[in-house]
Amino acid sequence: MERVTGIGGVFFRSQDPEALVAWYAEHLGVPVDDDGYVIFPRSRNTVWAPFGETTDYWPGTKQGMVNYTVADLDAMLEQLRAAGIEVDEKVELLEGIGRFGWAVDPDGNRFELWEPAATG
């Protein structure tokens, strides 16, 4: 059985994502990457990222989305499909970052699955 191996990221809506990231950087010292994302290297590169209020990366009726890391994305997506779970047909590859897929839980929350690119 495939299992989630960790949290790859936490994403949520914000009226002003850039200002919010700057606030967290100033007041909590979160490490902001050059592309504006907050990446926590001690937590295996977990990403924390506010998105604009009108993002269509997940349903507008939901405030946020969680990204889970997996060892084998294809096996996990097949396992979910076999269980009758709604799985997006699209799988995305980002060079040097990894592969991504999406599914929906029973409450209608879209979640992201990330198979990180092999390193070294």
Side-chain angles (χ1 to χ4, degrees):
M1 174 182 185
E2 284 299 310
R3 298 183 186 279
V4 165
T5 58
I7 301 290
V10 177
F11 312 120
F12 55 94
R13 296 180 194 282
S14 170
Q15 292 178 11
D16 189 343
E18 291 173 0
L20 188 60
V21 167
W23 185 91
Y24 273 91
E26 178 182 348
H27 297 286
L28 297 181
V30 297
V32 181
D33 199 318
D34 290 341
D35 62 7
Y37 292 107
V38 173
I39 299 176
F40 298 100
R42 287 192 171 174
S43 62
R44 296 192 170 183
N45 295 325
T46 299
V47 175
W48 174 94
F51 281 62
E53 287 184 301
T54 59
T55 185
D56 61 359
Y57 200 58
W58 64 87
T61 57
K62 301 296 181 178
Q63 183 61 21
M65 181 177 72
V66 176
N67 165 296
Y68 298 100
T69 56
V70 296
D72 184 335
L73 179 62
D74 294 324
M76 177 61 85
L77 294 175
E78 184 52 40
Q79 178 176 295
L80 295 173
R81 285 186 187 101
I85 295 168
E86 180 183 340
V87 175
D88 194 322
E89 291 301 316
K90 177 178 141 185
V91 171
E92 186 174 324
L93 169 65
L94 294 177
E95 284 298 322
I97 296 173
R99 297 174 63 235
F100 298 85
W102 298 267
V104 179
D105 75 14
D107 283 348
N109 298 300
R110 179 178 166 97
F111 59 92
E112 186 169 63
L113 298 166
W114 170 35
E115 179 184 326
T119 57

